[in-house]
Amino acid sequence: MDEPHSFDHFLPYKKVETELKSMNISLSGKDMLTKIYPEWSGEKEGNNVIRTWNRVVNPKKSMFWYYTIFNQDTSTIGGQIQLRSRFEEMVDDKTDFYFTAQTFGQRNLRTMGLPGENAHYYKYRTPTGREVLGQTMQALSYGCKGVFYETYYSYKSSDGIFSTPGNQGGYYFAESLVGIDTIQYNVPRVYDYGLYDTIKSIGARLRGPLGRTLSQLEIEKNGVHGTATHIYYTPSGEGDWNNIGGSLVIYGDPLLNYPPRTTHFINFGATKLKPKSQSGLKGSYYFLHNANTFDEVDLGPYGVYATYDTIKIGLRVSDYTDWVFKDIESSTKYRFIDTSSSGFDLVQGIHLNKGDGKLFRLIPTAEWEGRVSYR
């Protein structure tokens, strides 16, 4: 199919934005936010959905949804890894974007009131607090400026694909952020594995130093693509790592050793962010996150593997000889004074809770704390 026809399914949305601009003054200045689904593979009819959407429609605000939590752990792990690709596609064209994370699962009605287990769900499983944290932190690390959680209320629904013996005519319960059954739909669920409280805590963090700083940053790009480093291990030897440039490395040097892939599953990421031109911020910013959300990973025929929670970083600096690497949300600082022209100036293991992320600022101490005054 030639290129013009392959873009046809995007044109109605472009027309909507054109019509929006022709409305009266009170409406014409409003930005439209259209949520798209980029397909599981990221492609439709041979075109990358996100890149094509951004190029053809060119929305002021770009937003997509991508659900990664399934009733099979291996599918969830695969979804978490593939979500990175969708973020990388988005930052090819947009430094600011929006993301819709999953907070629901398709529960069998016969299991209502029971703690959630994989076997209680059809395809999508309701996330745990760790899993929704993992989706959120990964989005923020790529410069996302808004996260929507879908859905909020639970509700009873039906679908022909669920019309199987014993499934009450195809009905299921869309178990969501609040609602323990079809009557008490507006209260936190009893067995939610920290989901509700985690989202509350994310909101508090985004109202604090983390959110205030992230709002003034954008992902630093290397040429066309956003720069990112991520590593994940499987027993078959698969992995992916790229040096993000600048000062930080998290893999690929003998000093940055991790447990062997024969005993542990490792899934870390790092992105480099930079201050927006109008922000007035200084320094380099690195978002480190742990994409693992399980205590252990069942990799089927390969067996069950422990996960790992300490990311190893190596930092190289130049010019100044007194630097600080600081967690934006806490008082934790890593100082290094004796720099050299070769090797790392700082090698550090940093604990990251499962699914969590931390934003660090790298800056000369004089810039951070102010120049010394003397008489």
Side-chain angles (χ1 to χ4, degrees):
M1 182 177 292
D2 61 303
E3 187 172 276
H5 289 289
S6 65
F7 294 158
D8 283 351
H9 53 293
F10 292 108
L11 296 181
Y13 299 99
K14 186 175 181 64
K15 186 175 186 299
V16 170
E17 290 214 335
T18 301
E19 292 296 325
L20 190 68
K21 294 174 183 177
S22 67
M23 292 180 178
N24 61 58
I25 296 176
S26 64
L27 295 176
S28 61
K30 303 296 183 181
D31 292 340
M32 186 178 74
L33 186 60
T34 302
K35 179 173 65 175
I36 66 168
Y37 171 56
E39 300 293 336
W40 180 245
S41 66
E43 293 192 351
K44 181 75 171 180
E45 298 178 2
N47 292 298
N48 182 278
V49 175
I50 288 177
R51 293 190 184 110
T52 304
W53 169 265
N54 287 333
R55 185 168 65 252
V56 175
V57 178
N58 191 29
K60 290 184 178 179
K61 297 181 178 181
S62 197
M63 177 179 180
F64 75 100
W65 67 270
Y66 199 79
Y67 301 148
T68 64
I69 312 302
F70 297 88
N71 63 352
Q72 294 182 0
D73 292 348
T74 52
S75 296
T76 296
I77 295 166
Q80 291 170 334
I81 292 172
Q82 290 199 115
L83 179 59
R84 279 199 182 104
S85 297
R86 307 291 83 81
F87 289 135
E88 289 168 0
E89 292 158 3
M90 182 61 75
V91 300
D92 276 356
D93 303 300
K94 300 290 181 180
T95 54
D96 292 351
F97 65 92
Y98 299 81
F99 172 66
T100 298
Q102 174 189 349
T103 55
F104 78 97
Q106 300 163 314
R107 180 185 272 275
N108 189 321
L109 290 176
R110 293 174 297 171
T111 67
M112 293 297 300
L114 298 176
E117 298 179 4
N118 284 352
H120 297 165
Y121 298 91
Y122 304 96
K123 188 177 179 180
Y124 291 121
R125 173 177 55 78
T126 309
T128 64
R130 285 178 180 174
E131 287 165 338
V132 78
L133 179 64
Q135 295 176 70
T136 304
M137 288 297 121
Q138 195 169 149
L140 294 176
S141 75
Y142 279 89
C144 178
K145 290 299 182 285
V147 180
F148 294 71
Y149 295 103
E150 189 175 75
T151 60
Y152 183 75
Y153 292 117
S154 300
Y155 57 93
K156 187 178 180 180
S157 188
S158 64
D159 195 311
I161 64 173
F162 298 135
S163 297
T164 56
N167 189 31
Q168 303 184 31
Y171 282 98
Y172 68 96
F173 189 62
E175 183 182 66
S176 302
L177 185 57
V178 297
I180 58 174
D181 56 37
T182 54
I183 298 175
Q184 293 178 281
Y185 61 88
N186 59 348
V187 296
R189 293 186 290 109
V190 176
Y191 302 113
D192 77 345
Y193 296 92
L195 179 62
Y196 188 88
D197 287 340
T198 297
I199 292 178
K200 282 182 61 178
S201 70
I202 292 171
R205 292 173 69 181
L206 293 181
R207 288 190 295 271
L210 178 63
R212 290 196 298 268
T213 306
L214 285 173
S215 67
Q216 302 179 75
L217 301 177
E218 61 187 13
I219 195 161
E220 184 166 309
K221 298 182 180 182
N222 179 13
V224 177
H225 300 280
T227 56
T229 300
H230 43 270
I231 59 174
Y232 54 90
Y233 285 177
T234 68
S236 61
E238 297 172 0
D240 189 6
W241 47 86
N242 301 288
N243 193 322
I244 60 178
S247 303
L248 185 139
V249 178
I250 65 172
Y251 184 83
D253 187 278
L255 293 176
L256 307 179
N257 290 324
Y258 294 88
R261 61 170 54 93
T262 54
T263 60
H264 287 75
F265 189 89
I266 299 170
N267 193 357
F268 293 120
T271 54
K272 187 177 183 182
L273 303 170
K274 66 177 182 179
K276 291 185 174 182
S277 57
Q278 68 274 24
S279 71
L281 296 178
K282 296 180 180 180
S284 299
Y285 293 81
Y286 294 91
F287 202 118
L288 311 180
H289 65 92
N290 182 1
N292 274 323
T293 55
F294 298 95
D295 289 321
E296 57 184 22
V297 172
D298 185 351
L299 296 176
Y302 296 111
V304 178
Y305 288 75
T307 55
Y308 190 64
D309 293 346
T310 299
I311 186 171
K312 306 289 184 65
I313 66 163
L315 283 167
R316 298 186 178 98
V317 295
S318 59
D319 300 330
Y320 296 94
T321 59
D322 191 350
W323 291 73
V324 62
F325 189 65
K326 185 179 185 299
D327 180 356
I328 290 296
E329 295 182 88
S330 73
S331 59
T332 304
K333 294 180 182 178
Y334 302 98
R335 289 181 178 273
F336 38 105
I337 298 175
D338 298 324
T339 62
S340 61
S341 59
S342 63
F344 292 115
D345 299 304
L346 174 70
V347 175
Q348 183 71 47
I350 297 175
H351 175 77
L352 292 174
N353 291 329
K354 292 178 177 64
D356 204 0
K358 295 181 179 180
L359 178 65
F360 288 85
R361 185 186 191 190
L362 175 65
I363 192 168
T365 304
E367 293 285 352
W368 178 275
E369 298 177 347
R371 297 188 181 278
V372 176
S373 297
Y374 64 93
R375 300 186 181 209

